[in-house]
Structures are given as C-alpha cells and as structure tokens.
Amino acid sequence: MSAEPLSSESIDQLNEISGRGFDGVIGLKYVGGTTDRLEAEIEVNPSLLQPGGIVHGGVYCAIVESAASVAGVNWLAGKGHAVGVNNNTDFLRATRSGSLSAVAEPIHRGKSQQLWVVTITDVDGRTVARGQVRLQNIYGDKELGK
C-alpha cells in the first residue's frame, strides 16, 4: 500500500512553520512527499559556503536534521513532537553552486523512536551527502526543553 501524497496545502504549512526558524535562514524548502518520504530543496548561495568555497558540512548536517525531523513530525500526525537525538552525516562530494535536493525516508518508526535516512543530491543526481537521524517521539502537548 502506498502512502498518499501530501497536499500542496500541507507542503505550504510545513514551509510556513519551518520557515520561521533555521530552515528559513538557510533557505530550505519542502517540495513534496508522503508520510513515508519527504522531499526538500535548497539553492546554494555564498552564505552557505566555507572559506574554501564549497558548501559547509554543517549545512549538510542541518538539511539532514531538518528533513528527518519534519518528516518524523509529519508521520506523527499531530500526536506530538519528534526531536533529533543523533545525527550522523557523511559528506561525499564537494558542491560550490546550484541547487540541492534532499529526500528523507524512514528506516524505523516505532512508539518511542524513529530512524530516518536523508540523501542529498546535486542537479546532476549525484549524491553529495547522506545522513541518518534518530528521533525521540514526545507525545502530547508537552513543552519541548522542559
């Protein structure tokens, strides 16, 4: 059974909420998906580069963290929050410009934790980074960080 695609209204809502924080600062936009997959894009700009002129590794880590976390919260469907407790990202190819695409897919989704893999590719479809994030599920309306 395949998951239903997210509506354009759902994608707009994800972008509106995420855009208020760090995703908005780096320019990460969600463009499609289902409860089993989330797709995002980002345009490389000079503020995302390290002194050597390539995308900073922290940008890849942030994309992996954000895509997995938003996908995990989307899967929880309003039952609570999902927060990252581990992020392991490998940098595979240097990027200097262009757009990047990220796809988050679940490895495991359980009652207390989730594990998502995120693959980031360049405009030529080459994998530039890959990471996985373990998320802790927090149910209800408990305030995070308290």
Side-chain angles (χ1 to χ4, degrees):
M1 183 169 110
S2 65
E4 289 292 316
L6 294 174
S7 68
S8 61
E9 293 83 16
S10 294
I11 294 294
D12 289 345
Q13 185 177 30
L14 289 177
N15 282 314
E16 196 275 321
I17 293 167
S18 297
R20 294 182 212 151
F22 192 68
D23 288 355
V25 171
I26 65 172
L28 186 64
K29 299 283 185 199
Y30 300 97
V31 296
T34 68
T35 53
D36 293 332
R37 176 183 171 98
L38 185 63
E39 301 161 11
E41 292 179 350
I42 189 168
E43 190 67 32
V44 175
N45 66 67
S47 68
L48 302 179
L49 305 179
Q50 49 99 305
I54 60 175
V55 173
H56 191 286
V59 173
Y60 295 129
C61 290
I63 294 168
V64 168
E65 179 83 23
S66 289
S69 295
V70 170
V73 169
N74 186 56
W75 177 73
L76 283 175
K79 297 176 189 156
H81 302 283
V83 296
V85 294
N86 186 35
N87 178 333
N88 184 339
T89 301
D90 293 304
F91 318 128
L92 305 170
R93 179 183 292 275
T95 305
R96 295 179 179 279
S97 62
S99 60
L100 300 173
S101 299
V103 174
E105 298 176 298
I107 295 171
H108 169 77
R109 293 179 292 191
K111 182 178 178 182
S112 61
Q113 293 189 345
Q114 302 177 51
L115 184 63
W116 288 78
V117 64
V118 179
T119 304
I120 303 170
T121 56
D122 65 14
V123 293
D124 295 321
R126 299 175 297 190
T127 301
V128 298
R130 184 179 179 276
Q132 64 181 39
V133 174
R134 186 165 44 97
L135 302 169
Q136 183 70 40
N137 297 332
I138 300 173
Y139 293 98
D141 59 359
K142 180 180 176 185
E143 187 175 356
L144 297 179
K146 302 258 176 170

